[in-house]
């Protein structure tokens, strides 16, 4: 009887997962595409700033959203991005709680699943900014990174919290750079659904895009650590600060142009990922 009960329970759990798979897939795929759109626009604005076309500028998500809000139908696009990111957030939370890819409950699996929760929180903030700007309520104020840093520094052990965020960000930056440089990210795609051309687009955009974003995230993590050391929230910088820092290096405009192209390719990679990434329960 115990065996029958266990079998029945497993069957019920599997059935529940099967029941929710279709809407999970639709939300998540839309979410990855929305995330890709965000990075494509940031990269495009950055590259336009380098070549001096159309008022482009180095910016983070908030600055990009404000730029989009000023164009025709920009607010509609922002609402679309926000809704899409909501799908991405839901998928990350499902990955953390239901563990569809069987990451497990060992130390590595727990860290990975906590990372999914952190990603959900970060993109929740980005989605909130998109909505806020879409309704014309976010045209002023400091960056999200500076606001968060100031709030954390005011808490007990605030410097340690900010420093920990910096270390985690750098760790993830190294991971993304490693994924991009080695091409290991291709394991997450449904190769059977992709022809040779689409696989090439995914691999090329992923290699360059993940490597470029890894560099930018590494700089952001460094700024958080510097904030922790100095206890000065103004030392915290987001993507716009990281891109500005790149532009101030020798051959900075060339490097900035490369970073802009890299972020655009990262956006393309996320859009392709939205279409072809594996989302089956139990799939590694």
């Amino acid at each position: 009887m115990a065996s029958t009960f266990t079998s029945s329970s497993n069957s019920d759990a599997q059935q529940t997962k099967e029941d929710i798979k279709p809407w999970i897939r639709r939300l998540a795929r839309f979410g990855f595409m929305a995330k890709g759109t965000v990075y494509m626009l940031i990269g495009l604005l950055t590259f336009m700033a380098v070549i001096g076309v159309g008022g482009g500028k180095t910016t983070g998500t908030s600055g990009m959203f404000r730029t989009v809000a000023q164009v025709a139908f920009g607010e509609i696009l922002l609402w679309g991005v926000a809704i899409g990111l909501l799908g991405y957030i839901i998928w990350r939370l499902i990955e953390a709680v239901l563990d569809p890819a069987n990451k497990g409950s060992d130390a590595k699996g727990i860290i990975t699943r906590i990372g999914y929760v952190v990603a959900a929180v970060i993109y929740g903030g980005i989605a909130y900014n998109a909505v806020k700007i879409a309704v014309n309520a976010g045209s002023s104020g400091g960056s999200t990174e500076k606001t968060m840093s100031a709030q954390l520094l005011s808490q007990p052990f605030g410097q340690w919290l900010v420093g920990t965020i910096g270390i985690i960000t750098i760790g993830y930056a190294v991971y993304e750079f490693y994924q991009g440089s080695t091409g290991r990210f291709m394991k997450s795609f449904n190769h059977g659904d992709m022809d040779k051309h689409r696989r090439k687009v995914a691999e090329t955009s992923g290699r360059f895009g993940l490597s470029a974003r890894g560099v930018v995230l590494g700089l952001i993590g460094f700024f958080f650590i510097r904030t922790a050391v100095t206890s000065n929230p103004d030392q915290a910088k987001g993507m716009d600060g990281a891109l500005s820092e790149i532009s101030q290096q020798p051959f900075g405009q060339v490097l900035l142009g490369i970073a802009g192209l890299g972020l655009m390719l990262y956006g393309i990679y996320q859009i392709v990922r939205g279409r072809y990434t594996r989302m089956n329960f139990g799939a590694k």
Side-chain angles (χ1 to χ4, degrees):
M1 181 175 292
S3 175
T4 302
F5 176 77
T6 301
S7 176
S8 176
S9 298
N10 291 338
S11 177
D12 289 344
Q14 181 65 29
Q15 183 63 42
T16 300
K17 291 181 177 181
E18 293 293 333
D19 288 343
I20 65 177
K21 268 200 296 186
W23 69 263
I24 291 175
R25 284 203 203 98
R26 286 192 290 270
L27 278 172
R29 293 190 189 283
F30 185 32
F32 280 114
M33 292 177 182
K35 179 183 176 183
T37 301
V38 168
Y39 279 94
M40 280 188 66
L41 290 172
I42 292 173
L44 177 62
L45 287 172
T46 300
F47 188 75
M48 288 170 62
V50 172
I51 63 177
V53 173
K57 58 183 178 180
T58 59
T59 184
T61 53
S62 294
M64 182 273 293
F65 288 152
R66 284 192 286 269
T67 299
V68 170
Q70 296 171 6
V71 304
F73 305 107
E75 292 182 7
I76 296 175
L77 177 59
L78 290 181
W79 278 106
V81 166
I83 293 170
L85 288 178
L86 177 61
Y88 179 80
I89 294 162
I90 292 173
W91 171 247
R92 284 307 189 197
L93 291 175
I94 287 171
E95 284 186 306
V97 177
L98 296 183
D99 192 22
N102 290 331
K103 296 296 183 182
S105 299
D106 57 6
K108 181 180 178 181
I110 291 297
I111 291 172
T112 300
R113 293 164 71 178
I114 289 174
Y116 295 148
V117 175
V118 172
V121 172
I122 291 171
Y123 283 95
I126 293 174
Y128 171 74
N129 279 339
V131 172
K132 190 169 65 171
I133 292 170
V135 296
N136 299 316
S139 58
S140 62
S143 69
T144 301
E145 293 82 5
K146 288 185 179 180
T147 301
M148 182 176 69
S149 297
Q151 291 174 345
L152 288 175
L153 285 173
S154 67
Q155 305 301 315
F157 306 104
Q159 286 179 268
W160 289 99
L161 290 172
V162 173
T164 300
I165 290 174
I167 292 171
I168 292 173
T169 301
I170 290 176
Y172 189 74
V174 172
Y175 170 77
E176 280 216 331
F177 189 88
Y178 172 74
Q179 289 284 311
S181 61
T182 61
R184 290 177 63 86
F185 62 90
M186 289 297 294
K187 292 182 178 180
S188 66
F189 285 95
N190 279 318
H191 292 272
D193 295 338
M194 306 169 72
D195 58 24
K196 183 177 180 181
H197 172 70
R198 290 180 173 85
R199 285 195 297 271
K200 185 66 176 178
V201 170
E203 184 173 6
T204 301
S205 62
R207 280 184 177 274
F208 193 20
L210 283 166
S211 298
R213 200 177 87 124
V215 171
V216 174
L217 285 179
L219 284 172
I220 294 172
F222 167 75
F223 295 139
F224 271 105
I225 292 175
R226 191 168 67 181
T227 297
V229 173
T230 62
S231 296
N232 182 2
D234 289 335
Q235 294 292 320
K237 298 180 182 180
M239 189 166 293
D240 52 348
L243 293 172
S244 295
E245 192 79 12
I246 290 173
S247 70
Q248 295 169 19
Q249 305 308 308
F251 307 102
Q253 290 301 300
V254 174
L255 294 175
L256 188 62
I258 293 173
L261 286 173
L263 292 175
M264 280 193 284
L265 286 171
Y266 180 79
I268 293 171
Y269 159 71
Q270 289 294 328
I271 291 172
V272 176
R273 185 181 179 188
R275 173 62 181 86
Y276 295 107
T277 193
R278 291 186 299 171
M279 292 183 178
N280 294 326
F281 282 94
K284 287 284 187 183

